[in-house]
Amino acid sequence: MSPSSAVAEPVAPAARPGRYPLALFRSELQLVFGRARTWVLLAVLAGVPLLIGIAIKLSGSEGGGEGFIGQVAGNGLFLIVASLGLSLPFFLPTAVTVIAGESLAGESSLGTLRNLLTAPAGRSRLLAAKMVALIVFCLAATLTIWLSGLIVGFALFPVGDVLLLSGTTIPLGEGLLRALGIAVVIALSLLGLAGIGLFVSSLTSTPLAAMAATFGTFIVLGILTAIPQIDVIHPWLLMFRWTSFADLLRDPPYWGAIGKNLLLQAGYLTVFYAAAWARITSRDIV
Amino acid sequence: MTQTQQQPAAGSPLVTRGLTKRFRGGQVAVDSVDLEVPAGSVFGFLGPNGSGKTTTIRMLLGLIAPTAGEVQLLGEPMPKAQLRVLPRVGALVEGPAFYPFWSGQANLLRFDAADSTADPRTRKARAGEALERVGLSNAAGKKVRAYSLGMRQRLAIAVALMQRRELLVLDEPTNGLDPQGTREVRHLIQDLAGDGTTIFTSTHLLAEVEQVCTHAAVMSRGKLIRQSSVAELRAELRPRLVVRTPDLGIAAETLKSLGVTDLKTTDETVEGDAVELPIEKFAAALVAADVRIHGFGLERPSLEETFVALTGEGFDVAQ
Ligand SMILES: Nc1ncnc2c1ncn2[C@@H]1O[C@H](COP(=O)(O)OP(=O)(O)OP(=O)(O)O)[C@@H](O)[C@H]1O
Ligand SMILES: [Mg+2]
């Protein structure tokens, strides 16, 4: 080494406060939505209305049957609601589980977590960015079904004014808005599960294990919800009020159960987000 | 060569005090390490496999919490001040890690975006420059999945070069590089050091230390066993007198009578520490004793031999 190294002027300490805290959030969205896997999940969800629509079309039903499904042939708008409702027990939770399980465990298994932390992303901010991306994914998932249901419903079936559960009729435009509201409420209903997934993902460096554990938890909660003998704890279970979204199709909408559901989701989210935070801020990253 | 040993501790960009890491399971991977890296130095962090280099570097950067002891980076305590300090520190820890489904450039952009002090307007340009510096411009758009190990290693160095840094902490930066790449990285390190960046680099390659480092520290089984300037290390290496001859017995006796100590005899040579006399006297004495001399001279042990002597380790990983 030349002696110059000892006398060379040191780099001036740059005073650069964190002026661009949102760049990480944008980057996180790019990470989630820049992956083929995410688009496969969304494509599967988009396929749900198509599948249901074709099945009903082929069956030659006239409409007027039981539930939302029964009304699809009479009014294509109900394809949106039926598809959202039918995706809720399985397809949507699966998609959320995959993305949530990947979130931190994926970074950990690739080793990119240490690059992010030495950048420095900040552990709390990174967790927040992961959560925001998860929320956006939940919305994207239900809005995908809404849009696909809209297109397929309008293409295959007659559409018109919407007969509500309470017996009144609203114009098509308002019906579409109500369906959009249902998509949003269902997206929010998934947040408790998303929180569980994020927490489990912070525990391991194996994304597949995180996904399996999250989905396992979901199944267990589902089984508990189905056992009548323990109905005292039912109101506290994640999926107990998931079907409350249908209350948006009353006139006026009945908010009671929806509100309780969203409160419960917020509770789950808070508890598991806090647990994930405690874990990620104290964990050794190797 | 001028030395910078008189640097006050406050001016040192990297200081540790009693740094210790005990992993769950009880193993002490790093044991009470006191490092002090002079400003502007290229500091070689040496040690055999498993000696605790990477563990130390992880603690320096706040990735793992020390069991005991403290770290000061750029005069501030870690990991408390990490959000303030780390933007001024470029890091490469334990090999390259990237999103395989993204291009090299996209990976650089992501890690830069994670730093809230990095200006998004210059991000692309800075990524281009960093890729250029590590010779990856032509592969910038290629998915990392399709990179070779050496290309990934170069990309990892590019991450550290995305901004002007005051300190670079590099864990085996030349690992997996071809000879050309190794040379380029050495030049890069010298360039950066010339700009005033302090460089702390771990390595097993002694040649690397001899060529680029101004200072070195040696780890062994978690303990810091040596820390000094490379010039000092070199000066300590006493040359040894080596005589190549078929008359081993007589040669050894003659040398012993002349005060040569620590004599060792091999199949063809006798060697020892010749502290005093000018070297010609030994030659003359040997000739006078009818020793047939096939070779004669002083040999300076390499840094490598010193290293092995210091760490006292053979090929097997300790513990
Ligand atoms: N997460 C961990 N849990 C338990 N022990 C660990 C962990 N990480 C490292 N060790 C142990 O700590 C010791 C030091 O490991 P470290 O990776 O720091 O060595 P190193 O000097 O970087 O070696 P190399 O030259 O091979 O990179 C080793 O004995 C290793 O087994
Ligand atoms: Mg190592």
Side-chain angles (χ1 to χ4, degrees):
Chain A
M1 245 349 267
S2 66
S4 69
S5 65
V7 288
E9 263 180 54
V11 184
R16 297 171 303 187
R19 280 174 298 171
Y20 310 101
L22 293 181
L24 176 62
F25 289 78
R26 203 173 312 127
S27 170
E28 204 54 55
L29 290 177
Q30 281 167 0
L31 183 67
V32 171
F33 290 97
R35 286 196 74 167
R37 173 193 289 176
T38 306
W39 291 100
V40 169
L41 289 174
L42 292 179
V44 168
L45 293 174
V48 170
L50 194 63
L51 195 74
I52 299 174
I54 291 175
I56 293 176
K57 192 77 182 170
L58 291 181
S59 75
S61 144
E62 302 272 297
E66 281 282 298
F68 300 130
I69 278 272
Q71 290 179 271
V72 172
N75 188 346
L77 181 127
F78 279 98
L79 184 60
I80 302 177
V81 182
S83 304
L84 281 168
L86 289 176
S87 304
L88 185 52
F90 182 74
F91 286 120
L92 283 169
T94 307
V96 170
T97 296
V98 169
I99 302 294
E102 175 80 25
S103 59
L104 286 165
E107 303 276 8
S108 205
S109 77
L110 289 174
T112 44
L113 194 50
R114 58 177 186 263
N115 294 8
L116 290 170
L117 294 185
T118 54
R123 298 185 184 212
S124 306
R125 194 165 61 102
L126 181 63
L127 187 70
K130 292 282 175 200
M131 191 65 232
V132 167
L134 263 177
I135 295 173
V136 172
F137 176 80
C138 290
L139 279 168
T142 57
L143 291 181
T144 299
I145 297 176
W146 181 85
L147 189 65
S148 164
L150 179 77
I151 294 169
V152 177
F154 278 50
L156 294 185
F157 305 104
V159 286
D161 292 350
V162 183
L163 179 66
L164 295 180
L165 299 174
S166 46
T168 42
T169 302
I170 56 168
L172 180 62
E174 198 190 328
L176 280 174
L177 271 183
R178 298 261 183 132
L180 192 63
I182 288 176
V184 172
V185 165
I186 289 184
L188 297 178
S189 304
L190 294 168
L191 292 188
L193 183 63
I196 295 176
L198 187 71
F199 168 62
V200 175
S201 188
S202 74
L203 297 178
T204 164
S205 355
T206 319
L208 219 54
M211 294 175 201
T214 308
F215 205 73
T217 308
F218 173 71
I219 302 269
V220 169
L221 287 172
I223 292 172
L224 292 179
T225 311
I227 303 176
Q229 284 82 351
I230 52 171
D231 58 4
V232 279
I233 64 162
H234 280 176
W236 302 102
L237 295 178
L238 186 69
M239 297 91 90
F240 182 65
R241 290 201 176 83
W242 263 13
T243 50
S244 61
F245 69 87
D247 290 347
L248 275 179
L249 290 184
R250 298 179 196 280
D251 202 26
Y254 175 58
W255 292 105
I258 294 178
K260 278 186 187 157
N261 177 31
L262 296 188
L263 218 61
L264 187 68
Q265 299 300 327
Y268 270 86
L269 185 58
T270 308
V271 168
F272 284 98
Y273 188 84
W277 181 84
R279 167 75 181 158
I280 197 74
T281 50
S282 63
R283 176 177 160 196
D284 278 358
I285 305 297
V286 291
Chain B
M1 189 152 115
T2 45
Q3 287 309 327
T4 49
Q5 316 138 331
Q6 273 84 43
Q7 281 286 341
S12 166
L14 197 172
V15 185
T16 71
R17 292 274 172 258
L19 194 62
T20 301
K21 181 68 183 182
R22 180 193 302 271
F23 280 110
R24 252 182 299 168
Q27 189 193 342
V28 182
V30 175
D31 192 354
S32 200
V33 164
D34 298 316
L35 278 169
E36 191 167 327
V37 176
S41 64
V42 179
F43 196 104
F45 193 42
L46 288 160
N49 291 133
S51 55
K53 301 183 298 293
T54 301
T55 305
T56 304
I57 287 178
R58 286 200 175 104
M59 287 191 282
L60 296 180
L61 297 168
L63 290 173
I64 66 180
T67 312
E70 55 192 71
V71 175
Q72 288 225 339
L73 275 196
L74 303 174
E76 303 212 54
M78 283 292 288
K80 210 173 138 212
Q82 56 178 316
L83 293 183
R84 245 189 341 258
V85 171
L86 290 182
R88 296 147 65 195
V89 178
L92 161 56
V93 188
E94 182 116 299
F98 296 102
Y99 305 97
F101 44 86
W102 268 0
S103 71
Q105 193 202 27
N107 270 282
L108 284 189
L109 297 180
R110 160 118 171 121
F111 296 128
D112 195 61
D115 174 1
S116 63
T117 68
D119 190 342
R121 284 162 300 187
T122 58
R123 188 165 288 144
K124 275 233 167 72
R126 286 184 287 114
E129 275 166 38
L131 287 165
E132 172 97 54
R133 269 192 118 160
V134 299
L136 276 181
S137 292
N138 293 329
K142 204 170 173 174
K143 288 211 164 69
V144 169
R145 196 195 313 271
Y147 275 27
S148 70
L149 173 62
M151 289 163 80
R152 282 172 212 214
Q153 188 72 23
R154 287 165 186 246
L155 188 60
I157 297 171
V159 173
L161 301 181
M162 276 294 281
Q163 301 200 49
R164 243 184 105 104
R165 315 282 193 182
E166 288 158 64
L167 171 67
L168 288 179
V169 178
L170 307 173
D171 194 7
E172 298 182 33
T174 54
N175 194 16
L177 293 183
D178 55 26
Q180 178 62 22
T182 309
R183 213 173 6 241
E184 284 168 18
V185 167
R186 276 182 206 151
H187 284 152
L188 194 59
I189 288 179
Q190 280 168 332
D191 275 359
L192 293 162
D195 293 346
T197 306
T198 306
I199 294 159
F200 181 84
T201 170
S202 84
T203 178
H204 321 106
L205 303 176
L206 275 299
E208 208 155 277
V209 174
E210 299 211 80
Q211 287 174 27
V212 304
C213 295
T214 59
H215 293 73
V218 181
M219 292 282 286
S220 174
R221 298 161 199 253
K223 288 211 167 69
L224 188 65
I225 52 175
R226 201 53 220 278
Q227 172 170 229
S228 71
S229 76
V230 169
E232 252 174 82
L233 267 182
R234 251 202 222 104
E236 264 171 41
L237 308 179
R238 263 181 305 167
R240 282 172 69 83
L241 179 67
V242 181
V243 180
R244 200 169 298 278
T245 172
D247 308 318
L248 296 168
I250 321 170
E253 259 170 51
T254 312
L255 291 177
K256 195 172 177 188
S257 66
L258 289 170
V260 175
T261 56
D262 192 23
L263 278 169
K264 286 203 185 93
T265 307
T266 68
D267 283 354
E268 301 174 343
T269 64
V270 179
E271 57 168 86
D273 280 342
V275 204
E276 318 254 335
L277 301 169
I279 179 167
E280 310 85 70
K281 285 208 179 161
F282 296 113
L286 287 168
V287 171
D290 278 342
V291 173
R292 288 166 291 170
I293 300 178
H294 291 175
F296 179 86
L298 285 176
E299 282 181 14
R300 198 175 274 276
S302 69
L303 207 47
E304 184 150 346
E305 286 163 283
T306 325
F307 174 71
V308 172
L310 272 175
T311 59
E313 266 168 54
F315 183 71
D316 288 338
V317 173
Q319 288 158 342

